[in-house]
Amino acid sequence: MKPAKSLVAFLIDATASFFIFQIVALAVTYFCFLPFFPSFFVTWLLYYCCSFLLKGTTIGLSFFNSGLKDDGNKSTYILRVVLRECFTSFPAVVLWIFSWNAIVLLRTSILAIACLAFMIWRKRLFKLKVVQKVQTCESTTLVSGQRISRPKIIGLYGLMIILGIGSFCLNTYLTGDPIILEEKPIALRPRPSSHIVSKYTDFINTNSQDINEYLKELYKHYDHVVLCERWHPECTQYDLIYDLVTSPYFTDSINSIFTEIGNVEKREDFRRITATTFPSDSIKEKALASFIVDSQTVWLLWANTNWFNFLKKMSEFNHNREKPVNILFSDILWTDINKISERDSVMAYNIINTIHSDSIKKSLTIMNYRHAFMTPRNCAYYLQKAFPGKVANVMFNTFRFNICQAPSAVQQGKWDVAVELTGKNRFAIDFQNSPFGDDDFDLAPTISWFTSREVKYKDMFNGMIYYTLPAEQYAGHGFPYIFEPENQTRLESEVAVMPGDQLSNYSYLKYGNLIEKGGNYFENFVYNLIYIFFSFVSVVLLIGMSIAYVRNNKKRFNYEN
């Protein structure tokens, strides 16, 4: 086949497989949830295998009167077809290389080389090749000795498109997030059904705890608790954090908060702001804005709204208080980007040093993402080494970041669906002896050179605080008086010592705060763009196939007359 025809046939088969996947996903939605990856590629692989075994061709190839030619032993045809597709087809190569829970670079390299070798020598190895068959009639194609009319091929492909789109829409409506359906339907997509998540709903109903009570219980067994933030700008989490650290139990028994954000050398500056009685709220906000601009560590400007609001509320809470809550920043100013890999150990050192020097008995540490993992080279890991058996870590409900650093639902959304069904969205659970803790850890992509191990959520965290559903979360960027003349001058002077960051990156904040809806809007929107793209391509292909058929008929008619 000519390259152009091969490409069109490939696209026809790819889109046909995509719609078959949508049909299958709807058919099994009550019993199991099929995530797009790797389920679509598995469906695509099975489509190739079944098509070649049953008809010797695919929908795409049959339209061009092409199919597999077997030059080997007929008795081994089935085995050779299966091996050929399972090791050399495009979906198979993707599955072999990318469908592992953890990326092991050595394994990935070996598999990539092996797949490439199979691709190069597949004709010799499997004695199979795609050829264009002798065409006896312009309006028909030959498939395994049988004539299949092109109208039937076009009709079958069109039926797949209709059923696939209908299945996707129905599955989305039946299982999608009702909040997203109301607010932004374009970001709605299928999720696990209520039947699938029954064990999670049962556990929440019988074992969930009040968040404050859960932390109290943790502090009976541990001296230091690390709280794993969601994505930094998300605002609702800081509403909860403020409520926790200003509760009577915390102020009386714990009273010390270490934060990833903020320069350790600026602790006293914040205490002075807290102690100052400002003549007006606007003057207080100007002082706080200047403080944040001056206390940057990794970025030129930490412009998250939640941090400004949290510090403002804490300064007001602590003002004139006999026993103020200690806000203890733990980072340093990173002017040498080459040393940024030491950041976790530096933050941990500052925390550990303060605990010893100030004789702090119990504390709460707020860290984001991997910094709260008790795995090597992370801040919580160093804390655990310094205080063995005395450190617990708890995660907020959040979304994960995949290999491409795009936000994605934890456990394909099973946890969020279960929470919705219970009607609870503010509680805490322990991961030990729970279906949540027994799930594979997928909050962060695991990358290693040689080996990977099975990691569960209970291996990474003591428990989880669930606070607000994903669709109710939102991110805030910007706060008042960022670009006051004094702050602008300071930022311009510091650009030179903050490698890789530019003031122009924050120019959008000059027009006011930016609010972004949280949840899985971005992931769902991208998924739906993929779906729309496949649908568009398939419709274009269907129209092209129809036009090609009509033209061939005209040519045949003119030739016969």
Side-chain angles (χ1 to χ4, degrees):
M1 283 180 67
K2 294 181 179 179
K5 289 183 177 180
S6 296
L7 175 61
V8 173
F10 174 84
L11 291 175
I12 292 172
D13 291 328
T15 51
S17 302
F18 180 76
F19 291 117
I20 293 172
F21 161 67
Q22 303 298 342
I23 297 168
V24 173
L26 174 64
V28 303
T29 189
Y30 180 78
F31 304 101
C32 66
F33 174 72
L34 299 182
F36 178 74
F37 185 80
S39 303
F40 163 52
F41 289 90
V42 172
T43 303
W44 193 353
L45 176 60
L46 291 174
Y47 163 82
Y48 274 149
C49 289
C50 293
S51 296
F52 285 133
L53 289 176
L54 295 175
K55 289 293 184 179
T57 188
T58 64
I59 293 175
L61 290 174
S62 65
F63 184 78
F64 294 104
N65 200 37
S66 300
L68 274 186
K69 180 183 177 184
D70 183 10
D71 294 326
N73 190 324
K74 302 300 181 184
S75 63
T76 61
Y77 175 75
I78 294 177
L79 178 62
R80 285 182 287 112
V81 167
V82 172
L83 290 176
R84 178 184 185 271
E85 298 313 308
C86 288
F87 287 98
T88 66
S89 65
F90 177 78
V93 171
V94 172
L95 288 169
W96 277 113
I97 296 176
F98 298 110
S99 65
W100 306 87
N101 287 334
I103 298 296
V104 179
L105 298 180
L106 180 62
R107 178 181 63 196
T108 301
S109 301
I110 292 174
L111 288 173
I113 293 171
C115 288
L116 178 62
F118 277 121
M119 288 289 292
I120 293 173
W121 289 296
R122 70 175 180 173
K123 289 182 181 179
R124 293 184 181 181
L125 286 172
F126 305 113
K127 307 295 183 183
L128 296 163
K129 61 181 178 180
V130 174
V131 298
Q132 191 162 7
K133 299 181 181 182
V134 177
Q135 199 165 6
T136 59
C137 178
E138 287 293 337
S139 63
T140 64
T141 58
L142 298 178
V143 180
S144 295
Q146 302 176 9
R147 291 184 179 182
I148 297 182
S149 66
R150 278 185 172 169
K152 288 184 178 180
I153 296 172
I154 295 170
L156 177 61
Y157 184 61
L159 181 63
M160 285 184 176
I161 295 173
I162 294 170
L163 291 177
I165 292 175
S167 297
F168 174 79
C169 293
L170 182 58
N171 198 12
T172 300
Y173 178 77
L174 293 174
T175 64
D177 189 325
I179 298 177
I180 297 179
L181 175 62
E182 182 178 343
E183 294 185 353
K184 196 173 184 180
I186 188 62
L188 192 69
R189 63 174 292 191
R191 299 185 304 167
S193 67
S194 57
H195 178 262
I196 298 170
V197 301
S198 58
K199 64 179 180 180
Y200 301 98
T201 57
D202 291 343
F203 185 84
I204 294 170
N205 287 328
T206 57
N207 295 278
S208 62
Q209 305 174 47
D210 176 81
I211 297 172
N212 288 72
E213 294 301 319
Y214 176 72
L215 284 179
K216 285 183 187 179
E217 191 63 29
L218 271 183
Y219 279 117
K220 290 180 181 179
H221 306 283
Y222 302 94
D223 292 337
H224 309 287
V225 175
V226 180
L227 186 58
C228 182
E229 268 188 321
R230 296 172 182 145
W231 46 317
H232 276 305
E234 203 285 310
C235 291
T236 65
Q237 61 183 329
Y238 269 88
D239 295 335
L240 175 62
I241 292 172
Y242 175 78
D243 290 341
L244 291 176
V245 302
T246 57
S247 66
Y249 169 75
F250 192 92
T251 56
D252 293 341
S253 305
I254 314 301
N255 210 50
S256 294
I257 312 167
F258 292 99
T259 65
E260 173 190 344
I261 309 307
N263 192 328
V264 65
E265 297 179 356
K266 305 295 181 178
R267 291 176 180 177
E268 195 57 41
D269 292 356
F270 182 68
R271 292 192 184 103
R272 280 195 289 270
I273 291 176
T274 298
T276 302
T277 300
F278 293 94
S280 68
D281 192 60
S282 60
I283 295 176
K284 179 196 298 182
E285 289 185 341
K286 286 181 180 180
L288 191 56
S290 295
F291 167 77
I292 291 176
V293 169
D294 192 41
S295 63
Q296 81 282 351
T297 56
V298 178
W299 308 105
L300 177 64
L301 173 61
W302 193 255
N304 294 328
T305 307
N306 56 15
W307 183 239
F308 177 89
N309 290 342
F310 178 70
L311 291 185
K312 181 182 177 183
K313 290 194 294 185
M314 289 306 304
S315 66
E316 292 169 349
F317 179 81
N318 282 337
H319 184 63
N320 291 334
R321 189 178 177 85
E322 185 177 342
K323 186 182 178 183
V325 176
N326 291 317
I327 307 295
L328 302 164
F329 313 125
S330 63
D331 206 357
I332 64 170
L333 176 61
W334 293 95
T335 56
D336 187 351
I337 199 68
N338 296 316
K339 294 184 178 180
I340 199 70
S341 60
E342 303 171 10
R343 184 170 176 242
D344 280 79
S345 61
V346 169
M347 290 191 296
Y349 170 80
N350 290 331
I351 294 171
I352 295 165
N353 185 55
T354 302
I355 289 173
H356 287 312
S357 63
D358 293 2
S359 299
I360 294 174
K361 301 300 181 184
K362 291 184 181 292
S363 71
L364 176 70
T365 297
I366 302 170
M367 286 282 154
N368 181 262
Y369 194 44
R370 68 164 184 83
H371 305 299
F373 300 172
M374 289 188 192
T375 48
R377 301 185 66 81
N378 294 319
C379 183
Y381 168 79
Y382 295 114
L383 297 181
Q384 176 63 32
K385 285 186 68 176
F387 309 104
K390 296 297 183 180
V391 179
N393 63 344
V394 179
M395 64 173 282
F396 266 118
N397 65 301
T398 184
F399 51 69
R400 59 187 287 267
F401 288 93
N402 58 32
I403 294 295
C404 301
Q405 289 300 297
S408 178
V410 170
Q411 293 297 309
Q412 296 95 42
K414 288 187 296 184
W415 292 5
D416 298 319
V417 173
V419 172
E420 286 178 23
L421 293 171
T422 64
K424 304 177 180 180
N425 64 356
R426 289 167 172 79
F427 60 85
I429 57 171
D430 200 75
F431 276 156
Q432 293 301 318
N433 303 314
S434 83
F436 293 89
D438 290 336
D439 279 339
D440 291 335
F441 181 73
D442 66 345
L443 185 59
T446 306
I447 303 176
S448 63
W449 270 107
F450 297 106
T451 59
S452 65
R453 64 185 183 90
E454 237 182 53
V455 179
K456 307 293 183 181
Y457 270 91
K458 63 185 178 184
D459 300 324
M460 298 297 290
F461 292 101
N462 291 72
M464 175 176 66
I465 290 174
Y466 201 104
Y467 185 80
T468 67
L469 294 165
E472 296 172 343
Q473 298 167 20
Y474 67 96
H477 306 271
F479 49 81
Y481 309 110
I482 293 180
F483 297 108
E484 285 290 288
E486 179 186 349
N487 295 339
Q488 179 83 18
T489 301
R490 183 179 296 157
L491 290 169
E492 290 172 353
S493 67
E494 289 173 349
V495 167
V497 296
M498 298 299 291
D501 207 355
Q502 298 294 326
L503 191 53
S504 58
N505 295 340
Y506 308 95
S507 58
Y508 66 97
L509 296 175
K510 293 181 179 180
Y511 304 101
N513 291 6
L514 174 66
I515 301 297
E516 294 178 287
K517 285 296 292 184
N520 303 315
Y521 282 83
F522 179 79
E523 177 202 14
N524 294 0
F525 181 67
V526 171
Y527 176 88
N528 286 339
L529 284 180
I530 294 172
Y531 180 81
I532 293 170
F533 173 77
F534 269 87
S535 299
F536 174 77
V537 170
S538 65
V539 171
V540 171
L541 290 170
L542 183 64
I543 293 172
M545 292 163 70
S546 301
I547 292 173
Y549 167 69
V550 170
R551 284 184 174 178
N552 282 341
N553 261 4
K554 284 185 177 179
K555 286 182 181 179
R556 181 170 62 85
F557 178 80
N558 292 334
Y559 176 78
E560 291 176 352
N561 290 275

